[in-house]
Each structure stands twice: as structure tokens, then as C-alpha cells.
Amino acid sequence: MSRYISERLGQALLVLWAAFTLSFVLLQMLPGDAILIKFQDPSMGLSPAQIADMRAAYGADQPLWQQYLHTLSNFLHGDLGYSIQAGVPVTELLSTNFPPTLRLAILGFLLATLMAVGIAFLANLVPLRGVKSALLTLPSLFVSVPTFWLGIALIQVFSFRLGLIPVINPGEWVGLILPVVTLAVPISAPLAQILLRSIDKVQTQPFVSVARAKGASRSRVLWRHVARNATLPVLTVAGLLFGELIAGALVTETVFGLNGIGQLTQQAVNNQDLAVLQAIVVISATAFVAINLLVDLLYPLLDPRLKPSAGATL
């Protein structure tokens, strides 16, 4: 088991290094220069020589390979660089903007999971064919709804028409209700679809027939015998989706005017703030890799058949 964990950790570190390297190369290929964008402003009155000194101070005059090694070394030591536009360390920006995004992502994921489980299990327990058909169509409907349209529609209905949730100066938690719903609806769709298919597949297994033959009710069989085996395929997709939630909250945060990684990314792109963009990519990749690593480690605990044997070659 220790070898299994070591190999997974090694793969995770390799993915992080690849994400850092690829993002560094792609960001360097972007047109424009953040230093020139800020310091060539005529209102600042800086001479070309002074601008050149600023480039040297930020290390922008060094060859790319030196910039790469310098940036990589700083990241390994916890130094994420300095924001040219904001004039503060990148860690300070992230400490302010990352917690709201993480909170939004966690709440959105939890709600999406509850919605997916509710749809999948109600579709298998409700005896009415019409209700079951309606439940089965919900995932396809949810996945086809654009996030920005859903957010605007929720604001229009619940804020403007019904007046239930204010959009101007809402409370800390009240203001999260509509963004969380907006984020959860499209994410719940693939979770529900995979869970429905997995439940249908597990229900054909012999142990389910044995449980029913012993007189167990449909709901008891579903919760005690089918659920644990049906959730295994969902774990992998759930890990992928949660990583996307952290990295892809831009639309939701923009629609609702929330401060977070999405807004910070948009500002960094507009200002060509490469240090901020590099840090956001690495932080997002770290969250993505950590979640999927956790999923890999949970698999053997949920299904003993997946535990690596002592003599197995992984």
C-alpha cells in the first residue's frame, strides 16, 4: 500500500510540474507586456531608461530559461511572485480572493451532489412512470442550461420579481444562495447521469437478486446494497468536477459581482499580470491534483477488491 501511495504522489508531482511548465510557456507567448502596460502610461512620466530599470528589477530582461528556473525555485519555496498591477505580493491577492471562491465551490459541489443523489434515487424509487420520466430528463436539461443565463434568470425571478433575495448589499450567506444554485445545477447533471447508469448496472448483479429474494424492500436494497457499489464510478467524475469548480467560477462570480479567483483572473488577463496568472494556474492545478489523489486513495477503502496486493506490480 505504501508503494501505491508513493507512486500516486509521484504522479501528482509530475502533473504539477507539467502544469507549471506549460502555463509558463503559454503565458510568455501572450502578446503585450505587463510592465509596459503599467509604466508607459504618460501620466507617470517615466523615461525609457527608468522603464528599462523597472524591467530589470522584475527580472523581465533575463533570458526565458533563467526566468523559468527563477520562478520555479521561488514557487518551490512558497514565493508566488509580485503583482505588477496591484503592487503587492501575489500571495496577498490569493489570500483575499481564494477563500470566497473555495467556499462557493464547496457549497456548490455539496448542493450538486445532493441534487444528483436525489434525482438518481427518486427515479428508482418513485413508482409513477410519468414522475420517473420527468426525473430522468432533468440531467439533460440541467447540462444544457448556460451558466450565465441561469444566473441572470435566478436574479430576475428571486430578486426582482419575488423580492426574496436582495442583490444589493445582501448578507454574507444570503448573497451566496443564488450563486451556489447557479454553480450546482450544471454540475449535478453529469453526476446524476453517471449515478443513474451505475445504479442500473449494479441492480443486474446477482447479489441484488439474492437480497430481493430474501424479502428486502426496494428502498432497502437500493440504500444498503446498491448505493455503495454504484457510487464508485461517480467518485472519479466528482473529483474532476470539483477541480473545475475552483478553476471555473469566473462566470458565476462575474454575473453576481463576487470577489474571488474568477474576478482576479479576469483582471490579470486584462492587465497581462503574468505572475498572478501563473499562480492561479498552479493553485488550481494543485487543487485538482489533490482532489483526484484523494479519490485514488479512497477507492481501495470503498472497494477492498481494488487494494493492491503485496506482490502486485503497479
Side-chain angles (χ1 to χ4, degrees):
M1 190 65 182
S2 60
R3 182 181 176 184
Y4 175 82
I5 295 175
S6 298
E7 290 194 356
R8 291 296 180 269
L9 287 173
Q11 293 172 1
L13 293 175
L14 182 61
V15 170
L16 289 177
W17 171 78
F20 173 87
T21 302
L22 183 60
S23 63
F24 180 87
V25 173
L26 293 178
L27 289 174
Q28 293 298 326
M29 295 173 62
L30 290 176
D33 189 314
I35 297 177
L36 297 181
I37 291 174
K38 181 173 182 178
F39 295 108
Q40 272 191 334
D41 187 347
S43 63
M44 299 188 71
L46 297 179
S47 66
Q50 290 174 318
I51 294 177
D53 290 340
M54 295 301 300
R55 290 180 58 83
Y58 282 103
D61 61 335
Q62 297 178 352
L64 286 181
W65 66 269
Q66 290 186 5
Q67 294 184 41
Y68 171 80
L69 293 178
H70 179 72
T71 305
L72 179 59
S73 175
N74 287 344
F75 268 69
L76 292 176
H77 289 87
D79 182 1
L80 303 183
Y82 201 82
S83 171
I84 296 174
Q85 294 299 322
V88 297
V90 176
T91 52
E92 184 175 329
L93 293 176
L94 291 177
S95 65
T96 303
N97 291 274
F98 188 72
T101 297
L102 182 62
R103 179 174 57 185
L104 177 63
I106 291 176
L107 293 176
F109 181 76
L110 291 176
L111 180 58
T113 302
L114 290 176
M115 293 172 64
V117 171
I119 292 172
F121 282 85
L122 285 176
N124 282 274
L125 292 176
V126 173
L128 300 177
R129 185 180 298 272
V131 176
K132 182 175 181 178
S133 299
L135 290 170
L136 292 176
T137 60
L138 285 180
S140 299
L141 175 63
F142 288 169
V143 79
S144 63
V145 176
T147 303
F148 70 90
W149 180 88
L150 178 61
I152 294 173
L154 291 176
I155 293 174
Q156 181 68 25
V157 173
F158 292 97
S159 297
F160 295 152
R161 292 187 178 274
L162 300 179
L164 298 176
I165 301 176
V167 291
I168 300 176
N169 297 325
E172 181 179 3
W173 293 102
V174 173
L176 283 174
I177 295 176
L178 296 184
V180 167
V181 174
T182 302
L183 202 60
V185 168
I187 295 297
S188 67
L191 292 176
Q193 289 174 333
I194 294 174
L195 188 55
L196 284 166
R197 294 173 186 172
S198 185
I199 288 175
D200 291 339
K201 183 177 180 180
V202 173
Q203 285 181 335
T204 63
Q205 299 298 316
F207 69 88
V208 176
S209 301
V210 172
R212 288 176 178 170
K214 291 182 178 180
S217 64
R218 184 177 181 84
S219 59
R220 181 179 177 84
V221 170
L222 190 62
W223 288 106
R224 290 182 61 87
H225 300 280
V226 176
R228 181 173 180 178
N229 294 276
T231 54
L232 289 175
V234 182
L235 277 178
T236 300
V237 178
L240 295 173
L241 292 175
F242 187 74
E244 292 180 1
L245 279 175
I246 296 177
L250 172 59
V251 175
T252 303
E253 291 177 352
T254 300
V255 170
F256 291 94
L258 301 176
N259 293 323
I261 292 297
Q263 292 284 12
L264 183 61
T265 303
Q266 184 181 30
Q267 295 170 6
V269 170
N270 293 337
N271 297 320
Q272 297 285 303
D273 205 342
L274 300 188
V276 176
L277 291 173
Q278 180 86 64
I280 291 174
V281 170
V282 173
I283 293 296
S284 301
T286 302
F288 181 85
V289 169
I291 293 166
N292 284 277
L293 177 62
L294 179 61
V295 170
D296 285 342
L297 298 179
L298 283 177
Y299 264 128
L301 299 178
L302 296 175
D303 190 346
R305 295 173 299 177
L306 299 177
K307 290 184 178 180
S309 58
T313 303
L314 297 177

